[in-house]
Amino acid sequence: MTARSTLADAQHRKRVAVLISGRGSNMAALLAAAKDPAYPAEIVLVASNRPDAGGLATARDAGIATEVVDHTQFGKDRAAFDAALQAVLTKHRIELVCLAGFMRLLTAGFVAQWQERMLNIHPALLPAFKGLDTHKRALAAGAKIHGATVHFVVPEMDAGPIIMQGAVAVQHDDTEATLSARVLAVEHRIYPLAVKLVAEHRVRVVDGRCLIDGEPVPERPEAFY
Ligand code: GAR
């Protein structure tokens, strides 16, 4: 790569699609971060598999293009749904995909096309509590520490190299509502930070683990980047 193209790449804001299925508060956190012209990514598309996703209105109000690929139109044909989604991403010249409360499994073929260019946020400290109802299960298990994880997407659900985690202490009197609210606040902090580092090409996967700037991810990344 020449010095000139390296500079051009550094100045280029990555074109990001955020995929949602619901209220879209993580999407809103990403939109807020990307308002800063110095942020290395711009959210150019918000897409949903559900026409009634609340976050679509938030995106439209912010002047962001939206698309709906309604999974109910595809029956059990996951490959056809993913092909339609891919067509939308191609149309908008997307470079990075952020799953933000996108409640659909993607086919291995689709995931392979976005290897290390598709991120997900999960409301637990992976590999603990994969799947749904994470806060309820953390409380039931008597977990003392809970949190959220941003990771690269691989075909296996809620797996993939961990880019960043944020933890909260579980209080004795926490309910699902109070715990999920504290974890959500953490999500809103770490997701924009993780996307920033990926967009800046600072995250590398070595033997299934992420390094940032060639170093292991620190325990409190907010303090470092
Ligand atoms: C978030 O807590 C996100 O971590 C979770 O859904 C919520 C979406 O909220 N994602 C998953 O559970 C994915 N397995 P949001 O729509 O307000 O961002």
Side-chain angles (χ1 to χ4, degrees):
M1 205 185 262
T2 65
R4 186 182 291 250
S5 69
T6 307
L7 184 65
D9 187 54
Q11 287 170 347
H12 167 72
R13 302 181 77 201
K14 291 280 166 317
R15 295 176 62 82
V16 173
V18 184
L19 270 47
I20 63 169
S21 300
R23 77 189 149 181
S25 72
N26 276 289
M27 172 212 74
L30 291 169
L31 285 182
K35 264 192 178 169
D36 179 352
Y39 192 76
E42 54 177 333
I43 315 300
V44 296
L45 174 68
V46 171
S48 177
N49 63 312
R50 299 182 59 113
D52 59 350
L56 287 170
T58 313
R60 279 189 213 110
D61 289 349
I64 310 294
T66 61
E67 299 265 7
V68 173
V69 184
D70 183 350
H71 67 275
T72 64
Q73 304 300 306
F74 296 85
K76 288 193 161 66
D77 193 345
R78 288 186 176 273
F81 170 84
D82 286 4
L85 185 58
Q86 179 62 41
V88 160
L89 299 176
T90 302
K91 178 174 122 191
H92 289 269
R93 293 180 288 117
I94 298 303
E95 297 167 288
L96 271 184
V97 175
C98 295
L99 308 184
F102 185 68
M103 307 309 259
R104 251 193 94 76
L105 292 176
L106 297 161
T107 58
F110 180 89
V111 172
Q113 292 184 66
W114 291 96
Q115 191 182 357
E116 290 173 32
R117 296 187 301 140
M118 179 157 60
L119 289 67
N120 180 45
I121 185 145
H122 181 73
L125 294 172
L126 291 173
F129 305 119
K130 296 179 177 184
L132 301 174
D133 295 326
T134 55
H135 308 306
K136 199 185 199 167
R137 288 190 289 138
L139 287 171
K144 301 295 173 209
I145 307 284
H146 187 45
T149 303
V150 181
H151 62 95
F152 283 122
V153 177
V154 296
E156 188 191 331
M157 185 189 71
D158 298 334
I162 291 169
I163 303 168
M164 197 170 282
Q165 291 186 313
V168 302
V170 180
Q171 307 296 337
H172 186 66
D173 57 353
D174 259 328
T175 62
E176 203 179 338
T178 58
L179 183 57
S180 69
R182 287 208 307 291
V183 171
L184 194 63
V186 168
E187 294 184 40
H188 296 165
R189 284 208 311 275
I190 64 172
Y191 210 0
L193 192 48
V195 171
K196 172 181 185 287
L197 294 172
V198 172
E200 289 173 344
H201 301 287
R202 293 166 67 186
V203 183
R204 201 157 45 91
V205 180
V206 179
D207 296 334
R209 301 198 297 181
C210 287
L211 299 177
I212 300 179
D213 299 334
E215 302 284 339
V217 184
E219 198 180 325
R220 296 194 52 236
E222 297 104 314
F224 289 83
Y225 306 112

